[in-house]
Amino acid sequence: MSNRTGALGRYLPWLDWGRQYHREWFANDMIAAVIVTLMLIPQSLAYAMLANLPPQIGLYASILPLVAYALFGTSRTLAVGPVAVASLMSAAAAGHVAMPGTPAFYEASILLAFLGGAMLVVLSLIRAGAIGNLLSHPVVSGFIIASAVLIAAGQIKYLFGVSAKGDTLVAIIASLSGALAATHTITLLIGAACLIFLLAVRKYGKAALSAAGLSPRAADIAVKAGPVLTVIVSTLVVSLFNLQTQGVKVVGHIPASLPSLTLPSLNLAQVKSLLLPAFLIALIGFVESVSVGHTLGAKRRQRIDPNQELMGLGAANIASALSGGYSVTGGFARSVVNFDAGAETPLAGVFTAVGILIVTVAFTPYLANLPQATLAATIIVAVLSLVRFDILREVWNYSKADFAAVAATIIVVLTAGVELGVLAGVILSILLLLAKISKPHIAVTGRVPGTDHYRNILRHNVIQSDSVLSLRVDESLYFPNARYLEDALLALVTERPGVQHVVLQASAINDIDSSALESLESIETSFKDMGVTLHLSEVKGPVMDKLRNTHFLTHLRGQVFLSHDQAMKALDPAIAADAASQP
Amino acid sequence: MSNRTGALGRYLPWLDWGRQYHREWFANDMIAAVIVTLMLIPQSLAYAMLANLPPQIGLYASILPLVAYALFGTSRTLAVGPVAVASLMSAAAAGHVAMPGTPAFYEASILLAFLGGAMLVVLSLIRAGAIGNLLSHPVVSGFIIASAVLIAAGQIKYLFGVSAKGDTLVAIIASLSGALAATHTITLLIGAACLIFLLAVRKYGKAALSAAGLSPRAADIAVKAGPVLTVIVSTLVVSLFNLQTQGVKVVGHIPASLPSLTLPSLNLAQVKSLLLPAFLIALIGFVESVSVGHTLGAKRRQRIDPNQELMGLGAANIASALSGGYSVTGGFARSVVNFDAGAETPLAGVFTAVGILIVTVAFTPYLANLPQATLAATIIVAVLSLVRFDILREVWNYSKADFAAVAATIIVVLTAGVELGVLAGVILSILLLLAKISKPHIAVTGRVPGTDHYRNILRHNVIQSDSVLSLRVDESLYFPNARYLEDALLALVTERPGVQHVVLQASAINDIDSSALESLESIETSFKDMGVTLHLSEVKGPVMDKLRNTHFLTHLRGQVFLSHDQAMKALDPAIAADAASQP
């Protein structure tokens, strides 16, 4: 992305692409917008249902937020709107403060979007795009997998036309198992038909359409219209046979009016209790959006600025709240469709907004007989693609510690709910990182005969010195490992009464924080009491710059050697003699 | 410390030193015990007052806990008992659930010790000695400085004989400023006299006693008896002139009985609300104890095992709770005196316990007229030595980020109390560490002419390649920097349209976690879309072991080179030609 508009273009990215805008882009953006609109209609209705909100709220969340993101977001192709995981989280959080279906619940959902948006804007202003780094990839993966399972389980009641509830997998299953006896057969038939059709389209649709003469890309995009087809057909079927009067639950009357712009009611007690969930919804949404934005941007050598993305998503959520919508973020599937359909700029999003606007004012009366079972089938098929066990297997193979964090996240999400699940995952991944850092690899090294290299005595056949202990620390020195370093060095020296010098090879030490500096001082003091001198070798430039003028370095009795070999030869005549005897 | 007793000696350290015990050690331990007992009498009374508890509770906390630590602790010279900071924290925590002076408050204080002790024992059993690493040194320093200020401020009311209260510095000052009009003159005279005497002893005592003929070491130890002298003299003065009837507040009747052994009452609601403060008191106490133990142990080449220290301190706190005492830990000043006085083994602690026991049953009646102002003066002088601004200056000079964590800790302790202060410090130091790790130094490097070394193009005059981007990352790759790496690499390549290959020199990468692996995969995919090939060089053995068999390495289109120079020469003919043209 060129940067002709300078600093301002950084904050208002449309200044950049806006002046280059031309006719071909317009055509491409329009085509993409039509396709995304078709995809978004059933999704916005379905995710509103998932968020325990009336269907029009999903439509409201798909108009202004898209315009706001187009103004401030940096991704050219990210498709913002209601998504499954944020809808589930919103339902759970609002459910803590009000009963679903009440005005208070709706207000809480709006407030969640507003608070989340405001926090994202503040984070953007303080350039805290790095906040997304609090979440490790495996934890996010685990969270999404578990959320998808929860979401799918929660939709089963609509497929069977029964009543059930629960925020955890156990509660949902328990509630369902009691309710399934009252299964409504016609509803189940509609739901099962939709589900089978959608799964079939997903699996065979592309091949079938290609065989029918469509280009692979067109076929790929066309299958995304599957949900729209189920919406139309099932609504028609219900209307024709008046099935809504026979107990098939439908979405009912959707007001064909535009959202009215209002400020959310800022009740302080409610703000306080929604602050943490709002933050978690916003954080998860941000991490997912940036990840999608990156993936798509890279395909066209376009860059995403995480700090500016905070602003784009923050503005989108505030716009959603002000226009009666709920939490939004960049959706993965929808963005890929937008990209594949040829969207060139965020104007495609604006056109999509216009599309949803038209649907809202003109087509909602026709959706009154849309069965809830159809939407449930849409949701289930959409989230099933999020359940990727291959990610779990990969993490398991690569790192058992990381897998523990994922497993904990999944278990907590399924048994205690989404919020505690994210928190558990975040805390556990930080603790595991601290644990990893806290036990750095410290190798006792020896001289590889005939070279000036020093290697781990446990792995190589090397020459060791009796009086000089040669060590290498393979980690930066930070507070989590400061005391470990102290313990380890004192233990190594205590075990070797003959040692008079210790040389610490610092080539892998990229930073030393204040705690570690204090530990080095304390090691130096302890060594002094033990009659041992501490030396350093191969200290990196930036680390040396920091150490200069510190109490530690001015009081260090030993030397700082440029190379480890030089240190060993200077301190142990035997090593020097051995080195000299070699060619 | 020899390890003749093997595994059992690890869990019962006295098996080790017990079998070597001999007569000389006995004499030394006895002398140290007498001196520490003299120091501990005023301290145990004063710290109990600080913890808002009756004076005998301080004595109870100085008997059985010392015996328990002697059985399980690994430090030979750590002197366990009530300390200032833990007393302040205990008062604050118990104050949340009950009014000082009530039986409920006393019970809560005992419960805090019990819960803290139990947690330490559990942590010891799961070998979680690394838990102390959650606290960075500067945060601990800042916490102790701020606590000392809070403690000193809180004692001023006793010096002036007025009533005041408050958990924060602002509250204490506000309360005091209203109360000082009612200053009790005789109390202030006694308090000021004690304070001046103690400060003078601290400053000139050693020199004076040395001049009077004492050896420096004896003089050093003798000045520690200053507080005992103020206790005796001020109690005599009050008794002689019957000042307690004229409004001088005294400690009053201390029951001359031994503590009765009882189980703390485990009310579930109270346990729940005291769990976090109990953990924080135990954690701070553990960190301080281990630090003191290390410092003293190193002077005699004796080792401290943090895992076993958890057991020692845990047992001490449980013993304290069972015998009616409150939270204890290893005190810095007291341990140094114990060490300097020649203590050889923890038996010195057992002898000290016997000393306090004798005081409790035989001498407490004489302490009824001990003025509270004397104890306040003792506390103030003791904690003033903890206020070390030099530490703050050092941290400021060394690292502004670390200083921010210290400053936040101090401000939160002073304005919002000790518990929030520790939490703020812990959270902030972890966030700062994540922030540090999250922006690793990534250098674009070039070839130093005439060598096979590659250095930062910003710092050195080097040869760069147009088509091959040479990079070095100076940090292990963990989830906090995974996305940054992705952003940085994509940005570097996007800025350089001519680049066809990227070589990442991995010599400073000690570990790669699952998140970073996923980022590497995503970089590889993005590079593929951009027509750029990613290569690695100088990957460490353990990292390579982990990467083997991963999706990333099997799908990597580039190569893994043993040396960076080899990579550059293989990928850019210009570099190879330049290298060949050199001697």
Side-chain angles (χ1 to χ4, degrees), chain B residues 507-564:
Chain B
S507 49
I509 297 174
N510 302 312
D511 197 5
I512 296 177
D513 75 1
S514 299
S515 296
L517 181 71
E518 210 180 307
S519 281
L520 286 175
E521 278 171 30
S522 133
I523 290 168
E524 158 68 16
T525 309
S526 299
F527 276 7
K528 193 174 178 182
D529 291 332
M530 293 173 163
V532 172
T533 313
L534 177 68
H535 307 265
L536 301 176
S537 77
E538 302 181 13
V539 180
K540 292 195 171 190
V543 176
M544 199 64 199
D545 290 347
K546 251 181 124 177
L547 285 182
R548 232 180 295 276
N549 300 325
T550 60
H551 185 272
F552 167 66
L553 210 64
T554 49
H555 286 70
L556 185 71
R557 288 162 307 128
Q559 299 177 57
V560 180
F561 292 92
L562 279 180
S563 95
H564 195 65

Side-chain angles (χ1 to χ4, degrees), chain B residues 487-513:
Chain B
D487 288 354
L489 260 63
L490 292 186
L492 284 167
V493 172
T494 307
E495 285 161 13
R496 293 171 174 74
V499 163
Q500 288 161 2
H501 298 276
V502 174
V503 188
L504 197 65
Q505 186 180 3
S507 49
I509 297 174
N510 302 312
D511 197 5
I512 296 177
D513 75 1

Side-chain angles (χ1 to χ4, degrees), chain A residues 285-296:
Chain A
F286 169 65
V287 169
E288 277 303 286
S289 283
V290 169
S291 160
V292 175
H294 265 313
T295 310
L296 298 180

Side-chain angles (χ1 to χ4, degrees), chain B residues 264-318:
Chain B
S265 56
L266 292 168
N267 168 316
L268 195 69
Q270 205 161 53
V271 166
K272 216 173 154 186
S273 62
L274 292 178
L275 220 47
L276 180 64
F279 174 71
L280 293 175
I281 297 173
L283 182 66
I284 291 273
F286 169 65
V287 169
E288 278 303 285
S289 283
V290 168
S291 158
V292 175
H294 264 314
T295 310
L296 299 179
K299 289 182 197 282
R300 295 188 190 156
R301 286 213 182 197
Q302 288 164 352
R303 285 204 56 211
I304 302 297
D305 173 2
N307 285 321
Q308 186 59 28
E309 277 308 277
L310 284 168
M311 184 58 82
L313 290 174
N317 274 290
I318 291 174

Side-chain angles (χ1 to χ4, degrees), chain A residues 133 136-138 294 298-299 301 306 398 402 474 478-480 483 487 510 512 514-515 518 526 529-530 532, chain B residues 133 136-138 294 298-299 301 306 398 402 433 474-475 479-480 483 487 510 512 514-515 518 526 529-530 532:
Chain A
N133 300 335
S136 75
H137 291 204
H294 265 313
K299 289 182 196 284
R301 284 214 183 195
Y398 186 69
D402 290 345
D474 285 342
Y478 294 125
F479 71 86
R483 233 172 283 266
D487 289 354
N510 302 312
I512 296 178
S514 298
S515 296
E518 210 180 306
S526 299
D529 292 332
M530 292 172 162
V532 172
Chain B
N133 300 335
S136 77
H137 291 204
H294 264 314
K299 289 182 197 282
R301 286 213 182 197
Y398 186 70
D402 290 348
L433 175 65
D474 285 344
E475 185 75 68
F479 71 85
R483 233 171 282 264
D487 288 354
N510 302 312
I512 296 177
S514 299
S515 296
E518 210 180 307
S526 299
D529 291 332
M530 293 173 163
V532 172

Side-chain angles (χ1 to χ4, degrees), chain B residues 408-434:
Chain B
T409 310
I410 293 179
I411 291 167
V412 177
V413 169
L414 294 182
T415 59
V418 275
E419 285 155 27
L420 284 176
V422 190
L423 281 181
V426 170
I427 292 172
L428 203 63
S429 34
I430 291 176
L431 288 181
L432 282 171
L433 175 65
L434 292 180

